[in-house]
Amino acid sequence: MHFTLHATDGAARAGTFTTPHGEVPTPAFMPVGTQATVKGLTPEMVRAAGAHIILGNTYHLALRPGDEIVRDFGGLHKFMHWDGPILTDSGGFQVFSLAGQVKITDHGAKFKSHIDGSPLELTPERAVEIQQNLGSDIAMVLDECPPATSESAKMRAAVLRTIRWAERCKKHHSRPGQAQFAIVQGGLNLDLRAECARELVAMDFPGYALGGFSVGEAPEAMHAALPACAACLPEHKPRYLMGVGRPQDLLAGVASGIDMFDCVMPTRNGRNALAFTSDGPIRLRNAKHRRDPAPVASDCACYCCENYSRGYLHHLFAADEMLGPTLLSLHNIAFYLRLMADARHAITEGRFAAFRAGCLARWNADS
C-alpha cells in the first residue's frame, strides 16, 4: 500500500492510497460491513453510492462464521462479493465492549462470546492470524481501548500494553499485500497520546489510527484533542479516526488532518427512520411526512432520492416494511460519502474552512 498527498488546506488533506484491490481517494468514509455485509445493502448498492472501501469486523467474523471458513471461501472479498479494498479492525474494541467477563493481561484478552458464552482468547498473534485468513487489504493491530473516563493509571497501563501488542502484531504479520495500521490510544491525555504515537511511529507501520475516541467523552472534548493527536502522526502516511461519527465530527476530523473514518451511524439511523441531509437530519416517522411528495433530499442523486418520496418512506416505516430501512440506509451512506467527496473538492480548491462553516451553519440552524 502507498499513500500520496495531493493537496492541503490548513491541516486538512486530500490524498489517495493504493491497495491491491484499488485506489481510495481521501478524505474517505468507510461503510461498516460488520458481519461481511453492510446491513440491508448489496455490495452493488454500496458501490453505486460511491464507496471505495468498506470495513469488516474481526471479532464478529472470527466467531461467526469463523475466519478459517472465510479463508476457505477464498477470503473476505470473494465471500461477500466485494471487489474493492477492505479494512478489518482487530476485534479489540468489541472484546472490551461486547464480550462477557473480560480478563486482560499482557498476553491477551480472555473473554466469553456474546453469542453463546463460550470461553475465547484474543492475543495480538491471534488477531493477526484472523485478519490474514480474512485477507483484508488493511489490518489493524490489537489494542486496548479503555473508556474515556478511565483513571490515569489505567489509561497509562492501556497505552503501554497497546504499544507492546503493536510490536507483537508487527512481528507476527506475514501476509504479502496486507498493510498493518497501528492504533494510538491515550484518551484525552495529550501527553499520553504523544508518547504512544512516538513509540508506534518508531515501528514504521504503513498507516496509523486514533482509537479510543467517541467512547464516552463529550464531542467538544474530542474535537479539541484531535488537532494535536493528528499532528503526532506521520504526514506521508494515512491517518484513520476509528468509529467516528456524526457528520460534524467527520468535518472536525478532516480539519484536524484525518484521512479515514468509519461509523455505523448512517445505517443504524437509516434503520430507525432518521435521514441525514445537507440541511440537517429528518425523521421520516413524523406524521408531517405522510403526504410529502418530496424526496428525502432534493440535492441527492442516490437511488432512494431519485425514485421515492418522503410520503412513501413514511408509509414503509409505519408498515414495518424492510424496504424502508434499506432505502434510508442507502441514502445515508450516499450522504456520508458525498460529504467526504465535497470536502475533498473544497480542500483541493483551498476553501475547506468555508465549506465546513457552511455545513455547520445549515445543520445548526435546523437543530
Side-chain angles (χ1 to χ4, degrees):
M1 190 196 82
H2 100 219
F3 177 71
T4 304
L5 191 59
H6 302 302
T8 59
D9 184 10
R13 298 141 53 95
T16 303
F17 66 84
T18 305
T19 78
H21 287 90
E23 294 186 343
V24 179
T26 63
F29 178 77
M30 299 180 286
V32 177
T34 300
Q35 302 190 85
T37 174
V38 179
K39 286 190 185 298
L41 305 179
T42 67
E44 290 77 13
M45 290 176 176
V46 177
R47 176 70 83 181
H52 294 274
I53 179 172
I54 62 172
L55 182 142
N57 190 285
T58 292
Y59 170 87
H60 287 284
L61 292 173
L63 293 182
R64 187 172 52 192
D67 53 292
E68 292 182 354
I69 289 178
V70 175
R71 179 200 63 197
D72 292 346
F73 271 90
L76 190 53
H77 294 86
K78 289 184 178 180
F79 187 60
M80 67 179 295
H81 187 56
W82 171 262
D83 61 2
I86 297 175
L87 180 148
T88 47
D89 63 16
S90 66
F93 177 77
Q94 284 71 34
V95 168
F96 307 129
S97 62
L98 291 178
Q101 300 181 18
V102 180
K103 181 180 179 182
I104 303 169
T105 67
D106 284 345
H107 178 68
K110 291 184 178 180
F111 58 97
K112 290 189 175 181
S113 165
H114 75 286
I115 297 172
D116 59 10
S118 59
L120 298 162
E121 183 177 42
L122 187 65
T123 65
E125 292 77 15
R126 177 64 181 136
V128 168
E129 290 164 4
I130 293 169
Q131 293 179 87
Q132 291 187 156
N133 283 337
L134 296 177
S136 54
D137 299 270
I138 300 172
M140 305 305 298
V141 302
L142 185 64
D143 64 324
E144 182 178 353
C145 181
T149 54
S150 298
E151 59 185 31
S152 58
K154 182 176 180 180
M155 188 68 73
R156 179 166 185 78
V159 164
L160 295 176
R161 185 171 288 126
T162 291
I163 293 168
R164 291 192 293 268
W165 283 0
E167 189 172 20
R168 286 166 58 187
C169 285
K170 186 175 178 65
K171 182 177 181 180
H172 196 68
H173 186 259
S174 61
R175 184 182 176 97
Q178 185 182 65
Q180 258 190 346
F181 282 20
I183 304 173
V184 176
Q185 288 289 348
L188 296 174
N189 186 322
L190 297 184
D191 291 334
L192 268 183
R193 288 273 183 184
E195 178 183 348
C196 189
R198 278 195 304 271
E199 295 290 335
L200 295 175
V201 169
M203 297 181 200
D204 194 27
F205 285 89
Y208 293 88
L210 298 176
F213 281 115
S214 197
V215 289
E217 79 282 4
E220 295 78 14
M222 176 181 70
H223 295 178
L226 282 176
C229 293
C232 292
L233 304 178
E235 181 179 337
H236 61 289
K237 295 184 178 182
R239 304 164 175 172
Y240 167 29
L241 179 59
M242 304 182 76
V244 177
R246 303 171 305 163
Q248 53 267 48
D249 299 327
L250 267 63
L251 293 185
V254 172
S256 302
I258 302 296
D259 306 303
M260 302 162 61
F261 306 85
D262 81 280
C263 191
V264 298
M265 285 192 74
T267 46
R268 179 174 290 169
N269 280 286
R271 296 194 300 275
N272 288 282
L274 186 145
F276 294 98
T277 79
S278 56
D279 293 317
I282 60 173
R283 299 182 183 276
L284 272 302
R285 290 190 191 275
N286 287 355
K288 68 178 181 179
H289 297 300
R290 185 178 181 187
R291 296 179 180 273
D292 192 341
V296 171
S298 59
D299 60 348
C300 179
C302 79
Y303 176 80
C304 174
C305 291
E306 288 277 292
N307 293 283
Y308 302 102
S309 66
R310 295 183 182 189
Y312 180 64
L313 286 159
H314 173 83
H315 156 69
L316 291 177
F317 281 99
D320 200 25
E321 284 288 343
M322 66 175 67
L323 183 59
T326 291
L327 290 175
L328 217 51
S329 294
L330 176 63
H331 164 77
N332 284 347
I333 289 287
F335 171 80
Y336 267 61
L337 294 167
R338 190 173 70 254
L339 179 66
M340 292 294 93
D342 290 347
R344 177 182 171 89
H345 291 316
I347 292 166
T348 59
E349 295 174 0
R351 54 178 181 84
F352 176 74
F355 168 77
R356 180 189 179 197
C359 290
L360 294 178
R362 291 193 301 275
W363 299 336
N364 290 336
D366 179 80
S367 61

